[in-house]
Each structure stands twice: as C-alpha cells, then as structure tokens.
C-alpha cells in the first residue's frame, strides 16, 4: 500500500504515520542537506541561472528555493549578520497582473486594477452555481475581507487549484489529479466541467492566448514586458499551448530583476549598506542592512517599485508586501 492510500484510511495510526512522513521529509530533504552544505557558519546552496525557461533561478544541493518556510524551528536558525536586519518583499500576484494588462479581462481588471473582490472566489461562483451561501454572501464588487476568505476557505482552495492548473496549460486530467491530491476527490468528468467553467469565466484570456500565438507565428519571436526576446524551442508549433505561459512567466521574472536592480541603485545613491541574504527568486527579494537603516531600506523598496511601475506603464500597478525580519522564520511572521 502506498502513502496516498494510507492517508485515506480512517484508522488511529494514520495520524502518527503522517507525523513520521513529515519529519522524515524535513530530515532527508532539508536539514540533512543543509547541514552538509554549511561552511564557516554560512549555508552554501547551489543555483543554476539556466535551469528554467523563464530564466528564474533553479537550485540544487541543497535546493534553497523551496525551503520549508512554514517550519519555524528550522528557519529560525538562518539569521541576518550581526548588527543587521532583513527586509523581505513579495510581488503581489505579478503574473495575474500581467495577464490582466495584456488580456484586458474584466474579471482580472476588477480585482487587480480596482481592488474589488477576489479572483479565486470569483471563479468559485462559476464552479459552484448551486452553492447558495457562496452565491448570496460573497460580494464580488466590494473589497474582499479576511472574514469572507475564511468563510469560504474550501471553495477558494478548490478554485485556486483549478485556476493555477488550467492557467499553466492543465487539462481535466491535471485538474482531477491536483484536486484529489489536495484532499478534494474529483472525477475527470467533474474536472472537465471545472475547466469549461474556467474558460467561460476568463474568455478574454483565451482570446489573448490565441492573439499571442498568432503574433509569434507572424513575427517568429516574442518580446516580453521588459522587451526581452523569450526562448521558444524551434520544434514547437506556432500554437503550442505553453507559449502564453512562457511569455507571462518570463515577464514576471524580469519585473523582479528590474525591481532588484533599482533597489540596489537607489541604495548606492542614498548610502544604504545593502547585502543579499537570499538570492532574488520567483517573486520576492530579500536583503539585509544595518539595523539603523532598515526603515530607509523599506522606503527604497517602495520607491524602486514605483519607478518600475512608471517605467513599464502597465494598466495594472504591480504591488508588494514589504516586511522586516531577523531570521528566515520571520518571512512568515514566526520569529517569536
């Protein structure tokens, strides 16, 4: 019997097994490789700048980019230098914002341009038309509250899985497998209905995807939001399903690069001593500075993002959540 089958059993030992499985994963995938890569009090992970098609960093031995940030007992041991504090920031929904700009999808613009509703609960309205509580209590044209997200947490989780799967070229097979693995058993027939509901909801994205493919067919190349030519295998047909994703993902990465570069430029201009604590990856940047300069570094983060937004001129402004920390556990607010 495999692990997934054991998890579905209603027996007393299952809880103990799950605890063991989690501890074993943390030990074999993280703490062991981390300890073997520590030299002179610093962790030396491996990075590969050519490891992904979007030019995001990939990593190995150990792969720090997927560190268990929810495990504060592990992450609290990674500290800023003596006398330094950290400033971390995540770009908020950078890829959906880019998709909203290019597709002009009304649902995306409502959320990311006007700040109304929630993209996952908007989709949930289409996925669960018979859910009377959701249909009557969730108001898509007002600012979302945490209480509403908690009230419809299950529906939101399902919608998020569907959205991410379909957005990244997933079919009903991917959706069914992803939902079932997450604890929401789903047949392929149900998943097919979810996929159809997604494309009905976000029809403008489907139109944009087709226009982008035609543009590639006519030009023979694509430039992303930063103007960089993105790499597309010569063996791909012009209408390859992954082409829009590569376009958006590379754009999101390049916005991060523009932002980090501007942060360092402004720090040099303002005399702020900035040092990286984590390499810029995915949608976040993490740096450290003398404790006396932390507030100034936070201001630089926002000013740099304002400059990037002005440079790009998107119809949807890219936003970020900026916070300070002392250890990597602080990235999730778990330092206490």
């Amino acid at each position: 019997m495999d692990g997934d089958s054991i998890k579905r059993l209603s027996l007393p030992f299952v809880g103990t097994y799950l605890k063991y499985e989690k501890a074993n994963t943390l030990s074999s995938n993280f703490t062991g490789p981390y300890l073997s890569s520590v030299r002179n009090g610093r962790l030396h992970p491996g990075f590969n700048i050519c490891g992904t098609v979007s030019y995001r960093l990939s990593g190995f031995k150990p792969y720090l980019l997927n560190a268990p940030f929810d495990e504060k007992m592990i992450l609290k041991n990674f500290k800023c230098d003596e006398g330094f504090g950290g400033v971390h920031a995540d770009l908020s929904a950078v890829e959906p914002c880019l998709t909203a700009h290019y597709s002009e999808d009304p649902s995306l613009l409502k959320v990311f341009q006007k700040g109304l509703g929630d993209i996952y609960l908007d989709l949930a309205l289409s996925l669960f038309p018979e859910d009377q509580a959701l249909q009557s209590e969730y108001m898509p044209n007002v600012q979302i509250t945490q209480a509403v997200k908690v009230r419809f947490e299950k529906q939101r989780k399902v919608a998020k899985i569907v959205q991410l799967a379909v957005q990244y070229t997933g079919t009903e097979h991917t959706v069914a497998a992803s939902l079932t693995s997450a604890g929401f058993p789903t047949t392929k027939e149900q998943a097919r209905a979810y996929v159809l509901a997604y494309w009905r909801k976000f029809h403008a994205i489907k139109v944009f995807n087709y226009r982008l493919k035609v543009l590639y067919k006519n030009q023979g190349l694509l430039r992303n939001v930063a103007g960089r030519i993105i790499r597309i295998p010569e063996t791909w047909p012009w209408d390859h399903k992954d082409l829009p994703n590569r376009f958006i993902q590379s754009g999101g990465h390049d916005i991060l690069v523009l932002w980090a570069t501007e942060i360092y430029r402004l720090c040099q201009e303002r005399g702020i001593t900035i040092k990286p604590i984590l390499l810029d990856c995915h949608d976040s940047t993490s740096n450290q500075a003398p404790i006396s300069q932390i507030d100034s570094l936070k201001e630089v983060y926002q000013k740099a993002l304002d400059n990037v937004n002005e440079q790009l001129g998107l119809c949807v402004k890219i936003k970020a959540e900026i916070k300070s920390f002392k250890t990597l556990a602080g990235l999730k607010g778990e330092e206490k």
Side-chain angles (χ1 to χ4, degrees):
M1 181 178 291
D2 61 22
D4 287 337
S5 299
I6 293 176
K7 293 176 186 178
R8 288 192 281 268
L9 296 176
S10 298
L11 296 173
F13 78 89
V14 173
T16 302
Y17 169 79
L18 293 177
K19 291 181 180 178
Y20 162 78
E21 183 183 58
K22 180 178 181 180
N24 184 58
T25 299
L26 290 173
S27 176
S28 59
N29 292 355
F30 299 108
T31 54
Y34 284 177
L35 289 173
S36 64
S37 299
V38 171
R39 297 188 297 277
N40 300 320
R42 293 185 182 273
L43 177 66
H44 296 267
F47 295 96
N48 181 4
I49 61 172
C50 298
T52 64
V53 297
S54 66
Y55 299 97
R56 284 179 170 179
L57 290 171
S58 65
F60 56 94
K61 296 181 182 179
Y63 184 34
L64 188 59
L65 304 188
N66 71 341
F69 288 103
D70 292 327
E71 299 297 328
K72 61 181 180 180
M73 293 300 293
I74 296 176
L75 272 298
K76 72 178 183 180
N77 294 289
F78 296 89
K79 304 176 181 180
C80 297
D81 290 342
E82 189 69 29
F84 280 66
V87 176
H88 170 84
D90 290 300
L91 293 173
S92 302
V94 61
E95 291 178 12
C97 285
L98 280 175
T99 304
H101 169 76
Y102 284 108
S103 69
E104 298 182 329
D105 182 89
S107 295
L108 293 181
L109 290 176
K110 174 182 71 69
V111 174
F112 297 112
Q113 186 184 66
K114 300 178 181 179
L116 303 177
D118 175 80
I119 194 63
Y120 302 123
L121 287 179
D122 281 358
L123 177 58
L125 290 175
S126 298
L127 299 181
F128 309 113
E130 298 180 359
D131 187 329
Q132 295 183 2
L134 176 66
Q135 298 292 331
S136 62
E137 297 178 32
Y138 168 59
M139 303 299 175
N141 292 312
V142 301
Q143 190 172 11
I144 191 70
T145 65
Q146 186 61 31
V148 172
K149 289 183 179 181
V150 173
R151 170 76 172 88
F152 299 108
E153 181 180 12
K154 178 180 177 181
Q155 297 91 324
R156 193 173 185 273
K157 283 184 177 180
V158 171
K160 185 174 184 179
I161 292 170
V162 172
Q163 172 134 3
L164 293 177
V166 179
Q167 179 178 330
Y168 293 111
T169 72
T171 64
E172 62 266 24
H173 302 285
T174 308
V175 171
S178 298
L179 286 172
T180 300
S181 177
F184 305 104
T186 305
T187 66
K188 290 181 180 178
E189 289 72 22
Q190 291 173 317
R192 186 177 300 113
Y194 289 162
V195 172
L196 292 174
Y198 174 89
W199 286 122
R200 284 195 299 269
K201 178 68 176 178
F202 300 109
H203 179 70
I205 299 178
K206 191 171 188 178
V207 173
F208 158 68
N209 288 347
Y210 180 76
R211 291 203 320 264
L212 189 67
K213 294 172 184 178
V214 171
L215 182 64
Y216 171 64
K217 179 181 180 181
N218 294 336
Q219 293 185 168
L221 58 86
L222 287 176
R223 292 183 182 273
N224 69 10
V225 67
R228 177 166 61 84
I229 296 176
I230 61 175
R231 184 171 63 86
I232 300 171
E234 295 181 358
T235 55
W236 277 16
W238 69 271
D239 59 347
H240 194 282
K241 66 178 184 177
D242 197 50
L243 191 148
N245 298 325
R246 190 164 292 195
F247 174 80
I248 294 295
Q249 289 173 9
S250 68
H253 169 73
D254 283 359
I255 289 176
L256 175 63
V257 172
L258 290 173
W259 186 31
T261 302
E262 183 66 2
I263 288 172
Y264 270 72
R265 186 190 72 79
L266 289 174
C267 283
Q268 184 177 28
E269 182 181 279
R270 300 183 182 190
I272 298 173
T273 303
I274 183 175
K275 298 192 296 184
I277 191 168
L278 287 176
L279 289 182
D280 303 314
C281 59
H282 297 301
D283 57 1
S284 67
T285 183
S286 305
N287 297 282
Q288 55 182 334
I291 293 175
S292 62
Q293 295 183 322
I294 290 299
D295 288 340
S296 297
L297 182 54
K298 285 183 175 181
E299 292 175 3
V300 162
Y301 269 46
Q302 187 57 58
K303 176 60 177 175
L305 189 57
D306 291 342
N307 292 348
V308 170
N309 272 311
E310 183 177 354
Q311 175 185 346
L312 295 175
L314 302 177
C315 72
V316 178
K317 283 191 175 182
I318 306 299
K319 300 177 182 178
E321 180 185 357
I322 303 170
K323 66 177 73 172
S324 56
F325 65 93
K326 296 177 181 178
T327 72
L328 293 193
L331 302 187
K332 294 289 186 179
E334 297 288 348
E335 288 188 305
K336 294 182 180 180

